Structures are given as C-alpha cells and as structure tokens.
Amino acid sequence: MQYAEFEHIISLQRMGRYLVACGNRKRKAMALYKMDIRLSQEEYVLVNYSEIALRNSI
C-alpha cells in the first residue's frame, strides 16, 4: 500500500506523531503504526484475562 492511501485511511493527524518519531520517513512511520497496532492487540488480551481473573475471584 502506498503511503498516501494509508494516510487517507488512517488520517494525517494520527500519522503525524509517527512521522515525527521516524524523522518524516513515510515507510518507517507506516511500519511503526502497524507495530503499535499489534502491540495494542497483545495488551488487550492481557487486560481481558486480568479482568476475567478479577471477576472470578470476586
């Protein structure tokens, strides 16, 4: 996917912080955004299991 299409889908405002972090390198900013999404997905699983454990202990 080309960066312009990616930015159109995600939004310039959201991608702005990734561009700054990557020295305005668009491909690297896209990769960083995708890694951030994957990390968020993994964290959600941990939060979900923690919630279940807490609920079961109550």
Side-chain angles (χ1 to χ4, degrees):
M1 176 182 297
Q2 297 294 322
Y3 178 80
E5 183 181 5
F6 188 79
E7 184 181 77
H8 179 74
I9 293 167
I10 303 300
S11 86
L12 176 60
Q13 293 80 13
R14 183 177 297 264
M15 287 305 296
R17 68 184 72 147
Y18 295 93
L19 285 168
V20 168
C22 293
N24 211 34
R25 293 183 298 231
K26 294 177 179 178
R27 287 264 179 219
K28 195 167 184 174
M30 285 174 55
L32 183 60
Y33 182 82
K34 290 175 185 178
M35 284 188 284
D36 190 34
I37 293 296
R38 277 185 246 136
L39 179 61
S40 296
Q41 289 171 339
E42 293 295 323
E43 289 175 347
Y44 182 76
V45 171
L46 295 174
V47 169
N48 190 23
Y49 287 145
S50 298
E51 177 193 1
I52 291 169
L54 177 63
R55 205 170 355 136
N56 288 343
S57 70
I58 295 174

